[in-house]
Amino acid sequence: MSVIYLLLAISVVVAIVFFVVFLFSVKRGQYDDVYTPSVRMLFDDELVDKDAKKTSVTKDKHN
């Protein structure tokens, strides 16, 4: 039974260490995306015509 307590304590310590490392990497900007904003203008945005969509829905309801 004491082995379970030992493994539980070790797993909690490892989880805390991983959490601290994660917070440290977030504060240092490890996950900041610096590439996507520079190429975002190269991608076409999909424009949705809301008026056309509404008319097609109302036509389907009337038929």
Side-chain angles (χ1 to χ4, degrees):
M1 191 68 174
S2 63
V3 173
I4 294 175
Y5 295 130
L6 178 67
L7 290 176
L8 185 63
I10 291 172
S11 66
V12 168
V13 169
V14 169
I16 291 172
V17 168
F18 278 118
F19 184 66
V20 168
V21 170
F22 171 73
L23 289 179
F24 179 73
S25 65
V26 167
K27 286 188 181 223
R28 299 248 351 226
Q30 181 72 30
Y31 297 108
D32 290 345
D33 187 13
V34 295
Y35 177 70
T36 302
S38 64
V39 296
R40 186 175 293 148
M41 67 180 197
L42 301 175
F43 300 117
D44 290 332
D45 292 334
E46 293 183 20
L47 298 176
V48 178
D49 189 10
K50 292 181 182 179
D51 293 331
K53 195 172 188 178
K54 285 180 184 176
T55 56
S56 66
V57 171
T58 55
K59 286 180 185 177
D60 291 338
K61 287 182 180 178
H62 291 293
N63 289 335

